[in-house]
Amino acid sequence: MNILSIQSHVVYGHAGNSAAVFPMQRMGANVWPLHTVQFSNHTQYGRWAGMVMPSTEIASLAGGIAAIDALHECSAVLSGYIGSAEQGAQILDAVRQVKAANPAALYHCDPVMGHPAKGCIVASGVAEFLVNEALPVADIVSPNQLELEIIAGRALPTLADIVAAAREVLTMGPRVVLIKHLHYADKQPERFEMLAVSNDEAWLIARPIFDFARDPVGVGDMTSGLFLVGLLSGKSLRQALEHCASAVYGMLQETQRLGRYELAVVAAQREYESPTHMFAAQPI
Ligand SMILES: Nc1ncnc2c1ncn2[C@@H]1O[C@H](COP(=O)(O)OP(=O)(O)O)[C@@H](O)[C@H]1O
Ligand SMILES: Cc1ncc(COP(=O)(O)O)c(C=O)c1O
Ligand SMILES: [Mg+2]
């Protein structure tokens, strides 16, 4: 299995590819990391150095892989944090080239749209690109609830609203929707919940919340990567959800045990292969 993973790279710490690539590799996937930005650190520190890769870089690198006739080996394209709206078009071009070379290849779009209140900064035009252009082409999409609300164009105060919106997304192109973080009004506050929906199934999973001084970053990026590898390696929707939720829980537990702000991506390496605690999903 070969995954072209088009996401951010941070030199220090973990977000984007720097959070997702190693866990995917540890699950046995061969990853082709392509970086949309190279920043010193993730944006939630409030300051960072580095640059958005030039928009032509993505097309150039995809073209380079095409030139050595290797695109047909690609099983999936995963996109995450995008540095500019122009980069988006290049990513979709790469997806088209991969799908032309390997019609079975999947496109998993993690629609990272930013969260200004939390300090996750995304360039203007990226959210519009994700909703209008990337979503119709995606096979798998993994928004958090805020991103799902932007896609749906309305607030989603109840679990029923969220499930309905996820089903709407299935009519826009994707075959699988993973909502990576739910925060509806009557959710029990001590539970962290995710939802996976396909045309035939809907699964809800919950794990305990940890009390971090500051919300760690990169959790969503790692979750999406692990979920994709699970599906590609033949897990059912339910199994892929249970595996990624449980592996990320184990990694967060290690992060808390070590008292770190940055994710304990490497220290928790055994969790990606076989999570210490397995949480069970419930059909809804
Ligand atoms: N079990 C947990 N305990 C505490 N915080 C968690 C737990 N699981 C995830 N989180 C945090 O919840 C937040 C989820 O963020 P959100 O913006 O909704 O998704 P994403 O990570 O995709 O951007 C992250 O800040 C993550 O660190
Ligand atoms: C460079 C970069 N990549 C990715 C992300 C997304 O991280 P998360 O997985 O928490 O959504 C962020 C969030 O701040 C970021 O700064
Ligand atoms: Mg995210």
Side-chain angles (χ1 to χ4, degrees), residues 22-193:
F22 175 69
M24 290 194 280
Q25 290 171 328
R26 199 63 179 68
M27 275 184 82
N30 198 35
V31 184
W32 305 347
L34 196 169
H35 305 322
T36 51
V37 307
Q38 175 168 252
F39 290 165
S40 52
N41 50 268
H42 67 66
T43 62
Q44 295 190 36
Y45 286 94
R47 55 188 291 174
W48 63 94
M51 65 181 224
V52 175
M53 296 295 178
S55 61
T56 51
E57 193 69 3
I58 294 172
S60 160
L61 293 172
I65 302 169
I68 57 166
D69 199 21
L71 278 186
H72 68 278
E73 296 170 20
C74 183
S75 332
V77 178
L78 169 62
S79 71
Y81 186 99
I82 296 176
S84 68
E86 298 77 55
Q87 283 188 338
Q90 310 273 313
I91 292 172
L92 294 192
D93 216 48
V95 168
R96 279 184 210 103
Q97 286 187 63
V98 166
K99 288 194 171 223
N102 175 15
L106 300 178
Y107 173 37
H108 178 157
C109 177
D110 184 350
V112 180
M113 293 181 188
H115 197 307
K118 277 171 57 179
C120 181
I121 312 296
V122 170
S124 67
V126 168
E128 295 76 5
F129 160 80
L130 288 164
V131 176
N132 299 325
E133 296 180 55
L135 201 74
V137 186
D139 299 289
I140 305 167
V141 64
S142 50
N144 57 35
Q145 186 170 329
L146 190 72
E147 290 157 350
L148 181 67
E149 289 177 351
I150 293 170
I151 294 168
R154 60 181 191 276
L156 303 168
T158 69
L159 183 57
D161 294 328
I162 296 164
V163 174
R167 293 208 186 282
E168 268 170 49
V169 173
L170 293 174
T171 67
M172 300 174 188
R175 284 181 271 158
V176 171
V177 182
L178 171 69
I179 319 297
K180 296 195 307 286
H181 183 194
L182 307 184
H183 52 81
Y184 53 93
D186 58 352
K187 186 182 74 62
Q188 295 168 30
E190 69 280 6
R191 284 159 55 105
F192 183 92
E193 294 185 359

